Amino acid sequence: MYSIWLLEYAHVPTQAIGSVLSGQHNKGCRELAFTYMLLKGNGHTILVDVGTDGESPVTRKMHERDCVTGWQPPHKILAKVGVRPEEVDTVLLTHAHYDHMDNLKAFPNARFVIQEKEILGWVWAMTREKKFRAPQMALKSENIYEALHLIEEGRMVLVDGEVKDVLPDIDLYPAMEGHTFASQIVVVRNPDGVWQNVGDVAYVRENLTGLNGDGVFVPVGLMVGSPYHITKSYEKILCVAGGDLNRVIIGHETDNWTRYPSKQYEDGLHVAEIALAEGEASVL
C-alpha cells in the first residue's frame, strides 16, 4: 500500500474560467492550486510531476504572465511530509507543461517516466513556424532539451501507451491528443481501492461532472488535441474510478483541501493527506 499526499507548491488566485472550462467565456475567475503528488510505499518514494523552478528567470516570467504566486521550492514543500528531494527514486510525469516538468534537476536520484509520444510530439511542435506555436504557451522549451539529455543518460524512460505495474501496484494509461500530445494518468491500486492522478486532463471537477452537475463533459480550455479525444478520456477516468469522484485526484482543484484531510501552512500552501499505509504516521 502507498501513502499518498497532495502537495501544493504555488497557486493562481485569478485563473480565467474560460481557460479551465471550454466555452465558458466572460464567466469570471477562480483559484487554481499548483501541486505535485507524493507516494511512499513498497520500498519506493515517488512523485507524480515536479512543479516549476521558480528561481529560473524564464520561469519567473512565466509565473508573472500566469499570475502564479506563493511558489516554494521542493525541499521546503517535501519537508512538510518528512521527505528530502534526494530520497525520490521515481517521478511519473503526467505531461510536459512547465508547471508539471520544470524542476527535473531538483531530484538528482530519480528516474523519470513519460509517454514517448508526449516528448516526440513537443519536439515536432518546436520545429513548426512561429505562426503555429500558440499551443506551446504552457511549454518551456528548455524542459524538452533537458528531457532529451536525461533520455540519453538513461534516467528518463519513454513508455508507449498503457503500462501495467510500472512500479508495484501502479499503472499508467495514456490520454492521447487531448490536453497534450500524450498525457498519462497515474493509477494507484491500494487495498482500500483505486486512486487516479489525472494531471491536467481535467483542471476542475466540473470537467468530469458537467456544469451544475448536468453530466455533460466539459473539456479543459487549453488543448493541443480535440474535445472528442479529451472527453473520451473522461469516460475512462470515471470507469476506472467506478464513478467515485473522491478517487479522482485533480491537482489544480482547490476543493482538495476540503475533500481530503488537509492542513494549510504559514506559507499559505496546503498539504492533503489522501491515504496512509499501515504504520505511516499522519503529518497533519
Side-chain angles (χ1 to χ4, degrees):
M1 179 172 176
Y2 291 95
S3 296
I4 305 174
W5 294 276
L6 190 67
L7 309 172
E8 187 179 32
Y9 71 86
H11 69 278
V12 175
T14 54
Q15 182 74 25
I17 289 175
S19 69
V20 174
L21 297 165
S22 180
Q24 297 303 298
H25 309 299
N26 304 314
K27 299 293 185 179
C29 298
R30 65 189 291 170
E31 184 178 7
L32 290 186
F34 275 35
T35 65
Y36 34 78
M37 192 171 85
L38 178 70
L39 309 173
K40 280 180 65 182
N42 293 323
H44 291 282
T45 301
I46 305 154
L47 272 186
V48 179
D49 296 330
V50 296
T52 64
D53 174 11
E55 295 166 345
S56 155
V58 174
T59 302
R60 286 202 301 267
K61 288 181 180 178
M62 296 178 82
H63 278 183
E64 183 177 357
R65 179 199 69 185
D66 296 337
C67 301
V68 178
T69 63
W71 178 88
Q72 292 290 329
H75 71 273
K76 291 187 177 180
I77 299 300
L78 290 173
K80 296 172 181 176
V81 293
V83 171
R84 295 179 296 108
E86 294 80 9
E87 296 176 66
V88 174
D89 59 74
T90 307
V91 174
L92 306 174
L93 294 162
T94 62
H95 63 296
H97 280 160
Y98 90 106
D99 56 318
H100 296 258
M101 201 179 84
D102 184 39
N103 218 357
L104 301 171
K105 65 181 179 297
F107 303 95
N109 299 318
R111 177 188 71 134
F112 304 92
V113 182
I114 195 168
Q115 288 286 326
E116 178 180 48
K117 188 175 179 181
E118 178 74 356
I119 293 296
L120 297 184
W122 288 117
V123 170
W124 171 83
M126 289 163 58
T127 69
R128 301 304 92 191
E129 297 176 65
K130 183 177 181 181
K131 61 186 176 184
F132 295 115
R133 293 180 189 169
Q136 295 171 231
M137 66 168 296
L139 189 76
K140 182 179 170 185
S141 58
E142 290 93 332
N143 298 156
I144 303 301
Y145 307 149
E146 187 174 6
L148 294 173
H149 285 301
L150 288 168
I151 293 165
E152 283 189 311
E153 294 169 3
R155 287 188 55 209
M156 181 171 285
V157 177
L158 302 181
V159 297
D160 183 12
E162 189 166 350
V163 180
K164 293 289 188 182
D165 287 308
V166 66
L167 290 167
D169 297 322
I170 297 178
D171 304 331
L172 306 172
Y173 67 88
M176 300 290 193
E177 301 294 347
H179 179 59
T180 62
F181 293 98
S183 294
Q184 64 183 358
I185 292 161
V186 178
V187 178
V188 182
R189 293 181 277 110
N190 267 354
D192 67 339
V194 172
W195 300 94
Q196 294 176 83
N197 185 310
V198 301
D200 284 2
V201 175
Y203 281 147
V204 293
R205 223 151 291 274
E206 293 97 316
N207 295 126
L208 301 174
T209 64
L211 302 175
N212 301 312
D214 66 7
V216 178
F217 296 141
V218 185
V220 299
L222 177 62
M223 287 185 290
V224 302
S226 77
Y228 291 103
H229 284 133
I230 201 166
T231 52
K232 194 69 175 175
S233 298
Y234 296 164
E235 184 179 43
K236 174 73 179 285
I237 288 166
L238 293 179
C239 180
V240 171
D244 183 357
L245 278 176
N246 287 321
R247 297 273 169 183
V248 179
I249 300 164
I250 302 172
H252 283 300
E253 248 298 6
T254 57
D255 81 353
N256 292 310
W257 318 132
T258 54
R259 187 172 292 266
Y260 310 108
S262 66
K263 178 179 177 179
Q264 186 176 29
Y265 290 77
E266 291 182 1
D267 56 14
L269 303 174
H270 297 80
V271 170
E273 196 165 74
I274 295 169
L276 286 179
E278 185 177 354
E280 186 83 60
S282 173
V283 301
L284 303 183

PDB file of all heavy atoms in Angstrom, residues 216-244:
ATOM      1  N   VAL A 216     -22.746  16.490 -18.529  1.00  0.00           N
ATOM      2  CA  VAL A 216     -22.182  16.707 -19.865  1.00  0.00           C
ATOM      3  C   VAL A 216     -20.721  17.111 -19.694  1.00  0.00           C
ATOM      4  O   VAL A 216     -20.421  18.166 -19.126  1.00  0.00           O
ATOM      5  CB  VAL A 216     -22.954  17.804 -20.633  1.00  0.00           C
ATOM      6  CG1 VAL A 216     -22.316  18.038 -22.000  1.00  0.00           C
ATOM      7  CG2 VAL A 216     -24.420  17.414 -20.778  1.00  0.00           C
ATOM      8  N   PHE A 217     -19.800  16.264 -20.162  1.00  0.00           N
ATOM      9  CA  PHE A 217     -18.380  16.559 -20.025  1.00  0.00           C
ATOM     10  C   PHE A 217     -18.049  17.928 -20.614  1.00  0.00           C
ATOM     11  O   PHE A 217     -18.534  18.292 -21.701  1.00  0.00           O
ATOM     12  CB  PHE A 217     -17.534  15.510 -20.740  1.00  0.00           C
ATOM     13  CG  PHE A 217     -17.638  14.117 -20.181  1.00  0.00           C
ATOM     14  CD1 PHE A 217     -17.658  13.012 -21.030  1.00  0.00           C
ATOM     15  CD2 PHE A 217     -17.701  13.889 -18.816  1.00  0.00           C
ATOM     16  CE1 PHE A 217     -17.737  11.726 -20.536  1.00  0.00           C
ATOM     17  CE2 PHE A 217     -17.777  12.607 -18.299  1.00  0.00           C
ATOM     18  CZ  PHE A 217     -17.799  11.517 -19.164  1.00  0.00           C
ATOM     19  N   VAL A 218     -17.174  18.677 -19.909  1.00  0.00           N
ATOM     20  CA  VAL A 218     -16.709  19.983 -20.385  1.00  0.00           C
ATOM     21  C   VAL A 218     -15.194  19.908 -20.543  1.00  0.00           C
ATOM     22  O   VAL A 218     -14.475  19.792 -19.548  1.00  0.00           O
ATOM     23  CB  VAL A 218     -17.067  21.119 -19.411  1.00  0.00           C
ATOM     24  CG1 VAL A 218     -16.661  22.463 -20.007  1.00  0.00           C
ATOM     25  CG2 VAL A 218     -18.548  21.097 -19.082  1.00  0.00           C
ATOM     26  N   PRO A 219     -14.668  19.957 -21.761  1.00  0.00           N
ATOM     27  CA  PRO A 219     -13.217  19.892 -21.936  1.00  0.00           C
ATOM     28  C   PRO A 219     -12.512  21.066 -21.263  1.00  0.00           C
ATOM     29  O   PRO A 219     -13.116  22.122 -21.028  1.00  0.00           O
ATOM     30  CB  PRO A 219     -13.042  19.964 -23.464  1.00  0.00           C
ATOM     31  CG  PRO A 219     -14.363  19.592 -24.035  1.00  0.00           C
ATOM     32  CD  PRO A 219     -15.389  20.054 -23.037  1.00  0.00           C
ATOM     33  N   VAL A 220     -11.241  20.868 -20.966  1.00  0.00           N
ATOM     34  CA  VAL A 220     -10.434  21.988 -20.493  1.00  0.00           C
ATOM     35  C   VAL A 220     -10.281  23.000 -21.620  1.00  0.00           C
ATOM     36  O   VAL A 220     -10.457  22.683 -22.797  1.00  0.00           O
ATOM     37  CB  VAL A 220      -9.054  21.511 -19.996  1.00  0.00           C
ATOM     38  CG1 VAL A 220      -9.205  20.553 -18.828  1.00  0.00           C
ATOM     39  CG2 VAL A 220      -8.238  20.876 -21.122  1.00  0.00           C
ATOM     40  N   GLY A 221      -9.937  24.230 -21.238  1.00  0.00           N
ATOM     41  CA  GLY A 221      -9.849  25.289 -22.241  1.00  0.00           C
ATOM     42  C   GLY A 221      -8.556  25.301 -23.030  1.00  0.00           C
ATOM     43  O   GLY A 221      -8.474  25.975 -24.061  1.00  0.00           O
ATOM     44  N   LEU A 222      -7.536  24.588 -22.578  1.00  0.00           N
ATOM     45  CA  LEU A 222      -6.244  24.545 -23.261  1.00  0.00           C
ATOM     46  C   LEU A 222      -5.990  23.128 -23.741  1.00  0.00           C
ATOM     47  O   LEU A 222      -5.837  22.210 -22.926  1.00  0.00           O
ATOM     48  CB  LEU A 222      -5.121  24.986 -22.317  1.00  0.00           C
ATOM     49  CG  LEU A 222      -3.693  24.914 -22.868  1.00  0.00           C
ATOM     50  CD1 LEU A 222      -3.527  25.846 -24.068  1.00  0.00           C
ATOM     51  CD2 LEU A 222      -2.675  25.266 -21.788  1.00  0.00           C
ATOM     52  N   MET A 223      -5.941  22.954 -25.065  1.00  0.00           N
ATOM     53  CA  MET A 223      -5.725  21.624 -25.643  1.00  0.00           C
ATOM     54  C   MET A 223      -4.888  21.730 -26.909  1.00  0.00           C
ATOM     55  O   MET A 223      -4.980  22.717 -27.636  1.00  0.00           O
ATOM     56  CB  MET A 223      -7.068  20.976 -26.025  1.00  0.00           C
ATOM     57  CG  MET A 223      -7.894  20.496 -24.882  1.00  0.00           C
ATOM     58  SD  MET A 223      -9.371  19.634 -25.460  1.00  0.00           S
ATOM     59  CE  MET A 223     -10.305  21.004 -26.141  1.00  0.00           C
ATOM     60  N   VAL A 224      -4.098  20.688 -27.166  1.00  0.00           N
ATOM     61  CA  VAL A 224      -3.455  20.562 -28.473  1.00  0.00           C
ATOM     62  C   VAL A 224      -4.230  19.602 -29.363  1.00  0.00           C
ATOM     63  O   VAL A 224      -4.045  19.569 -30.570  1.00  0.00           O
ATOM     64  CB  VAL A 224      -1.988  20.091 -28.361  1.00  0.00           C
ATOM     65  CG1 VAL A 224      -1.175  21.041 -27.520  1.00  0.00           C
ATOM     66  CG2 VAL A 224      -1.882  18.676 -27.820  1.00  0.00           C
ATOM     67  N   GLY A 225      -5.102  18.798 -28.752  1.00  0.00           N
ATOM     68  CA  GLY A 225      -5.891  17.834 -29.498  1.00  0.00           C
ATOM     69  C   GLY A 225      -7.327  18.287 -29.646  1.00  0.00           C
ATOM     70  O   GLY A 225      -7.610  19.478 -29.767  1.00  0.00           O
ATOM     71  N   SER A 226      -8.261  17.338 -29.571  1.00  0.00           N
ATOM     72  CA  SER A 226      -9.655  17.660 -29.838  1.00  0.00           C
ATOM     73  C   SER A 226     -10.516  17.441 -28.597  1.00  0.00           C
ATOM     74  O   SER A 226     -10.191  16.623 -27.729  1.00  0.00           O
ATOM     75  CB  SER A 226     -10.188  16.776 -30.965  1.00  0.00           C
ATOM     76  OG  SER A 226     -10.471  15.471 -30.483  1.00  0.00           O
ATOM     77  N   PRO A 227     -11.656  18.158 -28.524  1.00  0.00           N
ATOM     78  CA  PRO A 227     -12.589  17.930 -27.419  1.00  0.00           C
ATOM     79  C   PRO A 227     -13.078  16.486 -27.362  1.00  0.00           C
ATOM     80  O   PRO A 227     -13.328  15.957 -26.274  1.00  0.00           O
ATOM     81  CB  PRO A 227     -13.738  18.894 -27.734  1.00  0.00           C
ATOM     82  CG  PRO A 227     -13.134  19.957 -28.579  1.00  0.00           C
ATOM     83  CD  PRO A 227     -12.087  19.258 -29.394  1.00  0.00           C
ATOM     84  N   TYR A 228     -13.222  15.837 -28.500  1.00  0.00           N
ATOM     85  CA  TYR A 228     -13.708  14.463 -28.504  1.00  0.00           C
ATOM     86  C   TYR A 228     -12.705  13.513 -27.862  1.00  0.00           C
ATOM     87  O   TYR A 228     -13.076  12.610 -27.111  1.00  0.00           O
ATOM     88  CB  TYR A 228     -14.036  14.021 -29.928  1.00  0.00           C
ATOM     89  CG  TYR A 228     -15.244  14.738 -30.474  1.00  0.00           C
ATOM     90  CD1 TYR A 228     -15.106  15.776 -31.386  1.00  0.00           C
ATOM     91  CD2 TYR A 228     -16.532  14.404 -30.053  1.00  0.00           C
ATOM     92  CE1 TYR A 228     -16.216  16.460 -31.866  1.00  0.00           C
ATOM     93  CE2 TYR A 228     -17.644  15.074 -30.535  1.00  0.00           C
ATOM     94  CZ  TYR A 228     -17.482  16.109 -31.440  1.00  0.00           C
ATOM     95  OH  TYR A 228     -18.571  16.788 -31.899  1.00  0.00           O
ATOM     96  N   HIS A 229     -11.416  13.715 -28.151  1.00  0.00           N
ATOM     97  CA  HIS A 229     -10.413  12.860 -27.538  1.00  0.00           C
ATOM     98  C   HIS A 229     -10.376  13.032 -26.021  1.00  0.00           C
ATOM     99  O   HIS A 229     -10.300  12.048 -25.271  1.00  0.00           O
ATOM    100  CB  HIS A 229      -9.028  13.157 -28.121  1.00  0.00           C
ATOM    101  CG  HIS A 229      -8.814  12.595 -29.478  1.00  0.00           C
ATOM    102  ND1 HIS A 229      -8.271  13.320 -30.512  1.00  0.00           N
ATOM    103  CD2 HIS A 229      -9.070  11.372 -29.997  1.00  0.00           C
ATOM    104  CE1 HIS A 229      -8.205  12.578 -31.604  1.00  0.00           C
ATOM    105  NE2 HIS A 229      -8.684  11.389 -31.311  1.00  0.00           N
ATOM    106  N   ILE A 230     -10.430  14.290 -25.562  1.00  0.00           N
ATOM    107  CA  ILE A 230     -10.296  14.505 -24.119  1.00  0.00           C
ATOM    108  C   ILE A 230     -11.535  14.013 -23.374  1.00  0.00           C
ATOM    109  O   ILE A 230     -11.435  13.458 -22.283  1.00  0.00           O
ATOM    110  CB  ILE A 230      -9.971  15.977 -23.794  1.00  0.00           C
ATOM    111  CG1 ILE A 230      -9.334  16.070 -22.395  1.00  0.00           C
ATOM    112  CG2 ILE A 230     -11.177  16.887 -23.911  1.00  0.00           C
ATOM    113  CD1 ILE A 230      -8.679  17.402 -22.103  1.00  0.00           C
ATOM    114  N   THR A 231     -12.714  14.163 -23.973  1.00  0.00           N
ATOM    115  CA  THR A 231     -13.914  13.677 -23.286  1.00  0.00           C
ATOM    116  C   THR A 231     -13.961  12.150 -23.276  1.00  0.00           C
ATOM    117  O   THR A 231     -14.522  11.555 -22.356  1.00  0.00           O
ATOM    118  CB  THR A 231     -15.193  14.265 -23.901  1.00  0.00           C
ATOM    119  OG1 THR A 231     -15.201  14.060 -25.318  1.00  0.00           O
ATOM    120  CG2 THR A 231     -15.295  15.756 -23.619  1.00  0.00           C
ATOM    121  N   LYS A 232     -13.358  11.513 -24.261  1.00  0.00           N
ATOM    122  CA  LYS A 232     -13.228  10.055 -24.213  1.00  0.00           C
ATOM    123  C   LYS A 232     -12.356   9.654 -23.020  1.00  0.00           C
ATOM    124  O   LYS A 232     -12.625   8.637 -22.350  1.00  0.00           O
ATOM    125  CB  LYS A 232     -12.618   9.549 -25.522  1.00  0.00           C
ATOM    126  CG  LYS A 232     -12.742   8.046 -25.710  1.00  0.00           C
ATOM    127  CD  LYS A 232     -14.178   7.622 -25.928  1.00  0.00           C
ATOM    128  CE  LYS A 232     -14.282   6.135 -26.235  1.00  0.00           C
ATOM    129  NZ  LYS A 232     -15.692   5.696 -26.336  1.00  0.00           N
ATOM    130  N   SER A 233     -11.331  10.459 -22.727  1.00  0.00           N
ATOM    131  CA  SER A 233     -10.506  10.199 -21.546  1.00  0.00           C
ATOM    132  C   SER A 233     -11.325  10.331 -20.270  1.00  0.00           C
ATOM    133  O   SER A 233     -11.123   9.580 -19.303  1.00  0.00           O
ATOM    134  CB  SER A 233      -9.322  11.163 -21.504  1.00  0.00           C
ATOM    135  OG  SER A 233      -8.482  10.986 -22.623  1.00  0.00           O
ATOM    136  N   TYR A 234     -12.256  11.284 -20.234  1.00  0.00           N
ATOM    137  CA  TYR A 234     -13.105  11.448 -19.051  1.00  0.00           C
ATOM    138  C   TYR A 234     -13.941  10.193 -18.806  1.00  0.00           C
ATOM    139  O   TYR A 234     -14.127   9.765 -17.662  1.00  0.00           O
ATOM    140  CB  TYR A 234     -14.029  12.656 -19.212  1.00  0.00           C
ATOM    141  CG  TYR A 234     -13.324  13.991 -19.297  1.00  0.00           C
ATOM    142  CD1 TYR A 234     -13.986  15.122 -19.776  1.00  0.00           C
ATOM    143  CD2 TYR A 234     -12.005  14.147 -18.886  1.00  0.00           C
ATOM    144  CE1 TYR A 234     -13.361  16.346 -19.847  1.00  0.00           C
ATOM    145  CE2 TYR A 234     -11.366  15.367 -18.959  1.00  0.00           C
ATOM    146  CZ  TYR A 234     -12.052  16.470 -19.445  1.00  0.00           C
ATOM    147  OH  TYR A 234     -11.424  17.685 -19.515  1.00  0.00           O
ATOM    148  N   GLU A 235     -14.435   9.605 -19.880  1.00  0.00           N
ATOM    149  CA  GLU A 235     -15.215   8.385 -19.753  1.00  0.00           C
ATOM    150  C   GLU A 235     -14.371   7.277 -19.116  1.00  0.00           C
ATOM    151  O   GLU A 235     -14.837   6.541 -18.239  1.00  0.00           O
ATOM    152  CB  GLU A 235     -15.734   7.956 -21.115  1.00  0.00           C
ATOM    153  CG  GLU A 235     -16.635   6.740 -21.085  1.00  0.00           C
ATOM    154  CD  GLU A 235     -17.151   6.367 -22.462  1.00  0.00           C
ATOM    155  OE1 GLU A 235     -16.345   6.396 -23.432  1.00  0.00           O
ATOM    156  OE2 GLU A 235     -18.334   6.031 -22.569  1.00  0.00           O
ATOM    157  N   LYS A 236     -13.104   7.167 -19.547  1.00  0.00           N
ATOM    158  CA  LYS A 236     -12.209   6.137 -18.992  1.00  0.00           C
ATOM    159  C   LYS A 236     -11.910   6.420 -17.522  1.00  0.00           C
ATOM    160  O   LYS A 236     -11.905   5.501 -16.686  1.00  0.00           O
ATOM    161  CB  LYS A 236     -10.908   6.107 -19.805  1.00  0.00           C
ATOM    162  CG  LYS A 236      -9.814   5.177 -19.267  1.00  0.00           C
ATOM    163  CD  LYS A 236     -10.137   3.714 -19.494  1.00  0.00           C
ATOM    164  CE  LYS A 236      -9.028   2.788 -18.981  1.00  0.00           C
ATOM    165  NZ  LYS A 236      -7.846   2.754 -19.827  1.00  0.00           N
ATOM    166  N   ILE A 237     -11.674   7.687 -17.183  1.00  0.00           N
ATOM    167  CA  ILE A 237     -11.395   8.056 -15.792  1.00  0.00           C
ATOM    168  C   ILE A 237     -12.540   7.617 -14.878  1.00  0.00           C
ATOM    169  O   ILE A 237     -12.327   6.998 -13.833  1.00  0.00           O
ATOM    170  CB  ILE A 237     -11.157   9.575 -15.678  1.00  0.00           C
ATOM    171  CG1 ILE A 237      -9.808   9.955 -16.304  1.00  0.00           C
ATOM    172  CG2 ILE A 237     -11.206  10.027 -14.218  1.00  0.00           C
ATOM    173  CD1 ILE A 237      -9.641  11.439 -16.528  1.00  0.00           C
ATOM    174  N   LEU A 238     -13.753   7.936 -15.272  1.00  0.00           N
ATOM    175  CA  LEU A 238     -14.908   7.596 -14.443  1.00  0.00           C
ATOM    176  C   LEU A 238     -15.116   6.089 -14.364  1.00  0.00           C
ATOM    177  O   LEU A 238     -15.532   5.564 -13.326  1.00  0.00           O
ATOM    178  CB  LEU A 238     -16.157   8.292 -14.974  1.00  0.00           C
ATOM    179  CG  LEU A 238     -16.163   9.815 -14.840  1.00  0.00           C
ATOM    180  CD1 LEU A 238     -17.436  10.390 -15.431  1.00  0.00           C
ATOM    181  CD2 LEU A 238     -16.013  10.244 -13.390  1.00  0.00           C
ATOM    182  N   CYS A 239     -14.803   5.391 -15.447  1.00  0.00           N
ATOM    183  CA  CYS A 239     -14.921   3.931 -15.442  1.00  0.00           C
ATOM    184  C   CYS A 239     -13.924   3.325 -14.455  1.00  0.00           C
ATOM    185  O   CYS A 239     -14.291   2.463 -13.645  1.00  0.00           O
ATOM    186  CB  CYS A 239     -14.685   3.392 -16.850  1.00  0.00           C
ATOM    187  SG  CYS A 239     -14.791   1.594 -16.976  1.00  0.00           S
ATOM    188  N   VAL A 240     -12.676   3.765 -14.505  1.00  0.00           N
ATOM    189  CA  VAL A 240     -11.652   3.250 -13.591  1.00  0.00           C
ATOM    190  C   VAL A 240     -12.022   3.574 -12.142  1.00  0.00           C
ATOM    191  O   VAL A 240     -11.790   2.775 -11.224  1.00  0.00           O
ATOM    192  CB  VAL A 240     -10.272   3.824 -13.954  1.00  0.00           C
ATOM    193  CG1 VAL A 240      -9.231   3.482 -12.889  1.00  0.00           C
ATOM    194  CG2 VAL A 240      -9.814   3.308 -15.319  1.00  0.00           C
ATOM    195  N   ALA A 241     -12.608   4.758 -11.928  1.00  0.00           N
ATOM    196  CA  ALA A 241     -12.981   5.187 -10.579  1.00  0.00           C
ATOM    197  C   ALA A 241     -14.249   4.533 -10.072  1.00  0.00           C
ATOM    198  O   ALA A 241     -14.615   4.723  -8.902  1.00  0.00           O
ATOM    199  CB  ALA A 241     -13.155   6.703 -10.554  1.00  0.00           C
ATOM    200  N   GLY A 242     -14.921   3.788 -10.927  1.00  0.00           N
ATOM    201  CA  GLY A 242     -16.202   3.216 -10.530  1.00  0.00           C
ATOM    202  C   GLY A 242     -17.231   4.277 -10.209  1.00  0.00           C
ATOM    203  O   GLY A 242     -18.146   4.052  -9.411  1.00  0.00           O
ATOM    204  N   GLY A 243     -17.056   5.452 -10.823  1.00  0.00           N
ATOM    205  CA  GLY A 243     -17.980   6.553 -10.602  1.00  0.00           C
ATOM    206  C   GLY A 243     -17.733   7.358  -9.345  1.00  0.00           C
ATOM    207  O   GLY A 243     -18.457   8.330  -9.081  1.00  0.00           O
ATOM    208  N   ASP A 244     -16.723   6.995  -8.537  1.00  0.00           N
ATOM    209  CA  ASP A 244     -16.448   7.675  -7.273  1.00  0.00           C
ATOM    210  C   ASP A 244     -15.440   8.796  -7.508  1.00  0.00           C
ATOM    211  O   ASP A 244     -14.232   8.559  -7.601  1.00  0.00           O
ATOM    212  CB  ASP A 244     -15.905   6.674  -6.252  1.00  0.00           C
ATOM    213  CG  ASP A 244     -15.672   7.293  -4.882  1.00  0.00           C
ATOM    214  OD1 ASP A 244     -15.880   8.513  -4.716  1.00  0.00           O
ATOM    215  OD2 ASP A 244     -15.275   6.539  -3.968  1.00  0.00           O
TER     216      ASP A 244
END
